[in-house]
Structure formats: C-alpha cells, structure tokens
Amino acid sequence: MEDISRRSTSQGQKSVTSNSSWKVNKDYIFWCRKCNIPLLDGQCGICHEKCPSIELTQPGDIRFSSRHEQNIINDLMSGSFGANPLAGKPVLLNKIPGEDKTDEIIVDGIRFGILRFDMKELVFRLDLMIEGALALIGSGIHKKLIRISSHGRHLSGKAIDGSEILECSDDIKSGDTVLLTGKNLAGFGISYRDSSELKNPGKSLRIKKIDSKKIAFLSKNPSLDDIVRANAPYMKNLVRDAVNTIRGIANQREFRDSPVYVSFSGGKDSLTTLDLTRSALRGQIKVFFANTGIEFPETVEFVRRFCRENNIDLTEVEAKEAFFENLPSFGPPAKDFRWCCKICKLAPINTVIEECTRGGRKCITIDGKRKYESFIRSRIAPKEENPFIPGQVSVFPIRNWRAIEVWLYLYYRGLEYNPLYDLGFERVGCWLCPAELSAEYYRFKELHPELFKRWNDYLLEWAGEHGLSDAFIEHGFWRWKTLPPKMKRLAEELNIDTTLKSKKEEFGISVTGGVSPCKTGGYTIEGRLTGLMPYEVLNIAGILGESIFSEDLGLLLIRRDNSSIKVFSSGHISVNARSKEDALSLFENTAKQSIRVKKCTKCGVCLKVCPVGAVSIEPQLRIKKDCIRCGKCIKSCVVVKYSDYTSPSFDTAPFFIP
C-alpha cells in the first residue's frame, strides 16, 4: 500500500481545501457506489470517479463502527427481521443528539437507521429510516412484513385500518417495527396489534414513512485496505497539514530551544498526535501520561506497553488516591462539575511542566484535542497558552480532524490502539467519568464488575443521604448538577424526583442580616460562619486586605480601602462597605476564601499562577503578606470555581435589599 504521507495527488483530482479554511463542522461525506467505499473527498482514489455526497446530521463526527457495535446491530437486526444484511459491510456511525448514545447508521451510501441507547429501559434500540426500510424490503426480508391495499404518497404518519391489510407475516407483536409494501410503494411503520388481530376492524398500524423509491444494498463488500487506499490522496493532504503545524510552531524562534512533550492519554486522538509528532520532529520528544488513579486498567496497560515497545520516553504522573480522598468534600463529579480533572490531571501534570518551564523557558505540549469532540472545543486555535500553567504552550495539530480521519490514519499506519474501542467505548480514560455515556457505563459493568460495584455503591449511598432514589442513579441523573432539558423530560416520564435534599454539613456560611444602611456610614451585611475559626480565616486574610487578629477578643479584623470585614469566634461575620454592591461583593469574596481554606485539595495549581510566590499549601493553605491581590490564584482554584456546588447553602441573592 502506498504511503499516504508521500503519495502525490492524481492528475485531475479535486483539490483538497486547506484545513484553515474548513468549516468547523463538515456535515457530509462522499460515497463511491462503484467501489462501495466511504470517501472524505469527492473523487475515489481507486476508480477515480467523482462520487455523490451524503449529508450528515451535525456535528458530523462520523466513525467506523466497532466490533461491539456491529454485534449489537447484528443482534437487533436478527431479532427483529431474522437476518442481518449489514453483516460484512463497512458500517459507519455518525453521532447525533439524543438522550444518550445515539448514532446515525450509514451503510452502502444510505442512511439506514439510528442506533440508540434507551434511557428508560436501559437497552439498545434500532430505529429504521426510510432508506433502510426500502433496502431491507429489496433484499427479500420476509419477517415483520405487511402488505397493505392503500396507495398514494400521503400515507406517512397516518393510521391504517385492519380492513386495508391484505396479508402479514405471523411473527408480528404489538409495538413492533414492521416493513410495509403496497402498490408501487414501500416503507415501515409501528404495529398496534399482534399478527392474529391485524386484519380486524379498527386501527392496526401507523405508517411512519412510505415512498415509491427503489433502494438496494450494494453487492461489493470492500476490505479495510480498500477503504484506506481509496482515501489516500485526501489523507496525504491532511497529514501534511498536521505535520507542518507541528514543525512550524516548534521551529519558531521563541520555541526552538523548548522541550517538546506529547500528552498521551491512551486514546485514539493522542495516539495519532504522538505518531505525527514523531514523524514531524527529528529531536527526542518526551511523552507524559496523567494516571488519574481511576483510569481504565486496559488504558494504563496499553500506554505503558506501547511506549515500551516503541522505545518512547514516558513520564507517568500519578494522582493515586487523590480522587477518593477528595470525594467526601466535593461529592460525585458531573458534566458541569468536573472538579476531578483539576485535582487528578492538572495538578499531577504540574510536576512535569514545572521542570520544563524552569528558568522562564517555554514548554511545547502537543495535544490531540479535536473541534468535533464538543461545543467547548469547537473553537480551539492551532496553539494556545495555558492560563493556569505559565510557559506551557499547547499545539493542536489534528483540531480539524473527524473521528473517521483519525481511524483511517491509525489503520494505514498499522498502529496498535487501545482495545477498549473494540469493546464498545468511545471514551477510554477514567472509568467513572460523568462524561461517559450510560451505554458505556453499563458496558463497563460487564467488563469490570468489581470497580463498577465500588463506584455504584458510593453513588447509591450518596443518593440516599440526599433524599434521592436508586432510580436517580440507575438512569444516570447523577452525571449532571443542573439537568439539561432532555433529562428533565426523562425524569418526568419516569416519575423520578431529582430534587437534591440538603445534607447537614459541619461547615457552612450564610447571610443572616441582608444589606442595610449603617449608622456610621456605608452599608453592612451580616452573616454566620460555622466550622471555621477566625485564626483559620487569618491564613487567607492577606488576599482580602490588611488584617489584625485578637485571640483574647476572638476577633479577626480585615481592612481594605474604605471597607472592613469582622469575623468573630462565635461565627458572626460583619462586612461594611461604601455601597450595597461593594458590601455584597466583599461578603461573597470572604465566603469563597473561607470555603477555599476549609476545602483546599492541595492540588498546587495556585502555586504555579501566583506571580510573587505568596501562596503555600503545607501544612494548610496560607496567603503570605507578599500577596499583591491580583486574583490569579482565585481564578485557578477548583474549590472556588465550584463553590456553588460544594457549599450550596451560600446564596446571597435572596438577601439583597435594593
């Protein structure tokens, strides 16, 4: 097979647009019907014919189906229709919006159906699309088949009376998806009755979609080598752009003497990035792997073995038990509450970057993030400076690649990849990650029942302490702090209460007196602090202002400009400022700093961002007198960022008196 990184473009071939001008979402692919091959460019690299495009539901991060997914499709097809005409064919899956794992099935250049994980029943379903139904009928499927007498193109969405059913197979049950044929028409629908009652008067089925088109499966089943070869001209340009991105940035004057690290998570994207970097740079590169302590065992083993067998210098930084040690303070992480990433990933990585950036040097990190992975990542630039780690510059050479392009690269290069992909996982990092789909979570249960039990038992106990049912955990609601509309609808349909009951905490801070005019001038707000003494607040007082502490009086006084904060040993807090807004802002800042003292995880991120070295975390968090109150440590603090979740009792809004 030809080297896709060297092969020249065929004469007359449609040119490939540079990565820099691509749309964020390429919502199409092409399909060569002659070779029956999915293409990323409009001209087949084998037969050189121009090929039609297929529109994809956005975001369009299409990929090859895994062995596990193929087995699921086979079981569903065989169970419903007695056969699986998709077997042996290249099946693509395009991720689309849904309650959980939801993929558009593309096969032989047609939109066959949708494979989805049903969050009510917690099982996979396959919903046909009209092209898939027509192809099944054309293939000679005779199970779940109904012939109707109705004709005309306006039957889609309509109910059919039993008197209009001419014949049906004897395997139909109420609720089944059925194939429909009629005079010059075919389609699919939902049966309201069993076969024995379908011809009785009354509504027997509802037609979902019906059409006069003829669609058939293609006869040729290409090999993986054929697919790679057909896409080689396109991939050549893609690889060249990625390699040039790495070389171009690494060779810039400010980075020429900088060490180059590759962030290797054990996933397909970082594996591709690692291989591209090794091809792009002649010098020795270093690879680091953040072992969070909750990585899939397969991922840890794969990273170590791959680097060992390929003579790669691997630095493995370990968080060890950091996740479970901090779990009592934060509770379970969520998609919108990912405290674990800073504590278990960013903090350990600091130890690597600290050596790299010593003496004010720059450190280049080659990263495999892609725009198609999430909305947040959709605007990543070719390079970014890390706001939390001064001196670290991240480069994203495959930011414009889709999953199918990553897989084509790995297949061509013959690279061993993480075995979890073939076992049905899209995410191969932390096994309890809230960003993991419920479909993957229950697949994880099958593969690692002991690890699953450890986490699920904790979740059930946590749910019980907060007045939530086991069903709240079972159906995956724990993965959000603020439920999205789709999960709110699901909760209503399942009649699951999602209201989190407050758990009595040893530590708390609350407003007791509201904002009111003070006789001596300005405005005052009163509050109460429990579980933290004035001498402990003194540790961070420097970031709030100049402080005086009287142990005899049990009073901490903090002054800044024309404002003051008083913290009494009784737990009473009094804040005075020139305006209502200033008083409320100062109280909120005092509250967040108190939370920071009480719940510091010692992740060390604040140490790196402080420009004057005024922060220490041993034996506990302390802000020294050198503090210039720039606020950088506050912005980087995971405890402050998620203070609304870690200390939900603190809510100033109801007490603001206009």
Side-chain angles (χ1 to χ4, degrees), residues 306-564:
F306 184 87
C307 291
R308 182 176 64 252
E309 293 178 355
N310 289 277
N311 196 29
I312 294 172
D313 181 11
L314 174 67
T315 298
E316 181 176 338
V317 288
E318 299 184 68
K320 297 183 179 178
E321 288 295 309
F323 176 83
F324 289 102
E325 288 170 357
N326 285 279
L327 190 57
S329 296
F330 289 98
K335 286 189 173 186
D336 48 352
F337 179 45
R338 294 173 71 173
W339 58 265
C340 44
C341 291
K342 276 197 173 182
I343 291 173
C344 300
K345 280 190 176 180
L346 187 57
I349 288 173
N350 278 349
T351 60
V352 176
I353 304 303
E354 182 180 23
E355 177 185 351
C356 172
T357 57
R358 186 170 294 151
R361 292 188 305 169
K362 294 280 188 180
C363 174
I364 298 178
T365 302
I366 314 296
D367 195 293
K369 289 187 179 71
R370 298 185 298 110
K371 291 182 177 182
Y372 289 88
E373 292 180 279
S374 67
F375 176 78
I376 293 175
R377 293 183 176 181
S378 64
R379 296 184 179 181
I380 54 176
K383 70 172 183 177
E384 294 179 354
E385 293 198 19
N386 192 326
F388 300 119
I389 306 178
Q392 182 193 7
V393 177
S394 296
V395 180
F396 309 103
I398 65 168
R399 66 193 183 284
N400 289 318
W401 290 32
R402 292 182 288 181
I404 191 172
E405 291 155 345
V406 172
W407 282 113
L408 280 172
Y409 181 85
L410 296 179
Y411 292 151
Y412 163 73
R413 294 284 290 160
L415 295 175
E416 177 193 7
Y417 54 84
N418 195 316
L420 288 171
Y421 287 113
D422 285 338
L423 295 174
F425 293 90
E426 290 183 57
R427 303 181 68 91
V428 296
C430 300
W431 47 264
L432 50 69
C433 181
E436 185 179 53
L437 298 168
S438 285
E440 295 174 314
Y441 185 59
Y442 284 106
R443 177 62 172 154
F444 164 67
K445 178 183 179 180
E446 296 174 0
L447 298 177
H448 294 286
E450 292 182 2
L451 291 177
F452 177 89
K453 185 177 186 304
R454 179 184 183 185
W455 180 236
N456 206 61
D457 284 352
Y458 164 79
L459 289 175
L460 292 173
E461 182 180 353
W462 173 84
E465 291 174 349
H466 292 83
L468 299 168
S469 67
D470 289 359
F472 180 92
I473 302 301
E474 182 183 12
H475 292 274
F477 293 99
W478 65 271
R479 295 187 291 126
W480 289 269
K481 284 293 184 182
T482 302
L483 294 176
K486 65 179 182 180
M487 296 305 289
K488 289 180 180 178
R489 289 192 297 269
L490 179 64
E492 291 176 1
E493 292 171 6
L494 295 174
N495 195 28
I496 295 176
D497 184 5
T498 61
T499 306
L500 195 71
K501 310 300 188 298
S502 296
K503 178 185 174 184
K504 188 174 181 180
E505 299 280 356
E506 294 181 0
F507 169 76
I509 186 165
S510 58
V511 179
T512 59
V515 182
S516 59
C518 181
K519 292 181 180 179
T520 59
Y523 291 82
T524 298
I525 182 170
E526 309 288 336
R528 181 167 182 78
L529 177 66
T530 57
L532 200 65
M533 297 300 292
Y535 69 85
E536 294 177 284
V537 180
L538 179 63
N539 285 334
I540 50 86
I543 201 168
L544 297 170
E546 301 296 328
S547 62
I548 302 173
F549 174 61
S550 172
E551 188 172 359
D552 293 337
L553 297 176
L555 170 64
L556 172 63
L557 174 63
I558 305 171
R559 294 185 182 277
R560 183 173 180 181
D561 299 328
N562 294 318
S563 303
S564 67

Side-chain angles (χ1 to χ4, degrees), residues 15 19 37 43 53 68 81 91 105 133 142 198 233 286 340 369 408 454 467 472 498 550 577 585 604 610:
S15 62
N19 284 6
I37 286 177
Q43 188 170 22
S53 64
H68 180 69
F81 302 107
V91 176
I105 301 172
H142 60 273
L198 273 172
K286 297 183 179 181
C340 44
K369 289 187 179 71
L408 280 172
R454 179 184 183 185
F472 180 92
T498 61
S550 172
S585 176
C610 180

